[in-house]
Amino acid sequence: MEEKNKAVIGGILFLLLILCIGVGGYIYTFKNNKHKEIINKTDVITDEYKKDKTKEYIYYTDENVISKELQIVYKTPVINLYNSQTNAIANELAQDNEKMISEIKKISTTENTTGNEITFNTDDIYSATYRNYEDYKYNEYISLVITDVYYDCFKGINDYPNMKSYIFDVKNNERISNLDILSKYNITLTELKEKIKNKLNEEQTVDNEIDTIKIEETINNIDDGNYGLYVDNTGNLVIKYIVKSNQMNYNEIMIIN
C-alpha cells in the first residue's frame, strides 16, 4: 500500500511539474511577444525628413530609353531627404548621366578602325556606358548601389568599369560612410578584403597555366573605392565588387554578416 501511495504522489508531482513548465512557457512567450511589440513600436520610422511624402525614399526621374532591346536606359536617382548631401549627390549623378549620354557612339556615324567585325547591330549603338541602379530599404537604412556597364557592338556587354554606393540613415537624416557601416557590423575593411581574397582563391581557375581571376587587381580596385556596400531588404550587410579577370570582368556579391 505504501508503495502504491508513493507511486500516486509521484505521478501527481510529475503532472504538476508538466503544468508548471507549460504555464511558465506561455507566460515567457507572452512577455517576449510584448517585448517585441515594444521594440517594433520604438523602431517605427517616420517620414519626417522626406522632401516629398508621396514618394519612396529613393525614386527615379528623367528616364531616357536609348535602346529598349539592349536595356540601355538613363535615369536620375533621387534620394528623397531634406539633406544638403542628397542635393549634391543628385547633381553629381545628373551630370554623370549627361556625360555618358553625350559619349554614346552610333554605328552609322562612327568609323570602325578596330579591324573587328561588328557582331551586334542593335539600334545603331556602336558603344555606350550606362548605369544599373539597385535600391534597398531596411528599418532606418536606405541604400543606393550604382554599377556602370560598358557595351560595344563587337562583344556586347564586356566590362563593368565603375561601382559606388550610398547609405543613409533616414531616422537621423544623415549619410553613413562605408567605414561607419562596417563598424556597425563589427568588421573592418582589411578583414573584409581578406574574406574576399579567400573566396576568390577558392574560385580560382587556371587556363593555359595562367590564373583566370586577377586577385590582386580585384583587391586593388576595392582599395581605390570601386565597390558598393549596402544593407539589403532583410538587414544583411552586403558588398558588391568587380572581379578582374583574364576573360571578362564580372560583378560579385558577398553577404558580410
Side-chain angles (χ1 to χ4, degrees):
M1 179 66 71
E2 187 178 347
E3 290 181 0
K4 183 178 180 181
N5 289 338
K6 285 182 179 179
V8 172
I9 292 170
I12 293 171
L13 289 175
F14 178 74
L15 289 172
L16 287 173
L17 178 62
I18 296 298
L19 182 62
C20 288
I21 291 172
V23 172
Y26 172 79
I27 292 172
Y28 175 80
T29 303
F30 177 77
K31 286 185 176 180
N32 201 37
N33 285 339
K34 282 290 187 183
H35 180 61
K36 286 181 180 178
E37 287 178 12
I38 292 170
I39 291 175
N40 289 336
K41 287 179 181 177
T42 303
D43 287 344
V44 168
I45 308 300
T46 68
D47 56 1
E48 176 183 359
Y49 297 108
K50 271 188 178 182
K51 288 182 182 179
D52 187 340
K53 291 180 172 52
T54 66
K55 296 184 181 297
E56 299 294 332
Y57 276 106
I58 298 175
Y59 64 95
Y60 303 88
T61 62
D62 305 323
E63 185 173 298
N64 184 356
V65 180
I66 301 299
S67 173
K68 188 174 182 179
E69 185 173 343
L70 296 173
Q71 297 183 331
I72 298 178
V73 180
Y74 296 88
K75 56 187 178 181
T76 302
V78 177
I79 301 169
N80 189 16
L81 288 170
Y82 278 113
N83 185 301
S84 59
Q85 285 185 303
T86 63
N87 293 331
I89 291 169
N91 291 334
E92 177 186 335
L93 296 180
Q95 290 173 8
D96 288 348
N97 268 347
E98 290 177 7
K99 183 174 185 296
M100 286 188 289
I101 291 172
S102 70
E103 292 175 346
I104 295 173
K105 293 181 179 180
K106 300 287 189 178
I107 294 174
S108 57
T109 57
T110 303
E111 183 182 359
N112 181 8
T113 58
T114 65
N116 299 319
E117 184 178 348
I118 292 175
T119 306
F120 304 95
N121 191 346
T122 306
D123 292 333
D124 199 31
I125 306 296
Y126 184 89
S127 65
T129 300
Y130 59 99
R131 284 185 162 169
N132 287 333
Y133 300 97
E134 304 162 65
D135 56 81
Y136 302 89
K137 171 77 172 66
Y138 179 78
N139 285 352
E140 69 268 33
Y141 296 119
I142 59 171
S143 306
L144 175 66
V145 185
I146 300 172
T147 306
D148 289 355
V149 183
Y150 179 74
Y151 166 91
D152 66 34
C153 59
F154 307 107
K155 299 179 181 179
I157 294 173
N158 61 85
D159 198 11
Y160 299 91
N162 298 297
M163 189 180 294
K164 56 186 173 183
S165 63
Y166 303 94
I167 303 175
F168 277 85
D169 179 339
V170 301
K171 186 176 180 180
N172 297 305
N173 193 26
E174 63 183 9
R175 184 179 174 186
I176 308 295
S177 71
N178 286 344
L179 293 181
D180 283 343
I181 198 66
L182 287 170
S183 176
K184 287 178 184 290
Y185 281 78
N186 299 312
I187 190 170
T188 66
L189 184 58
T190 300
E191 292 169 336
L192 179 54
K193 288 189 295 183
E194 193 62 30
K195 283 178 176 287
I196 292 172
K197 187 179 290 187
N198 292 338
K199 184 175 185 291
L200 294 177
N201 275 315
E202 291 175 0
E203 296 172 349
Q204 183 66 274
T205 58
V206 178
D207 184 18
N208 292 325
E209 300 183 352
I210 299 175
D211 289 343
T212 302
I213 300 174
K214 300 177 181 179
I215 295 178
E216 289 305 318
E217 286 189 30
T218 299
I219 298 300
N220 290 339
N221 201 40
I222 293 173
D223 282 331
D224 292 337
N226 202 353
Y227 64 93
L229 272 178
Y230 61 95
V231 180
D232 71 13
N233 294 330
T234 57
N236 294 310
L237 183 62
V238 182
I239 183 169
K240 184 176 182 181
Y241 57 97
I242 302 165
V243 179
K244 298 290 187 176
S245 169
N246 284 328
Q247 296 173 353
M248 187 182 87
N249 297 341
Y250 59 92
N251 293 333
E252 187 67 273
I253 64 169
M254 174 190 283
I255 296 176
I256 296 169
N257 64 312

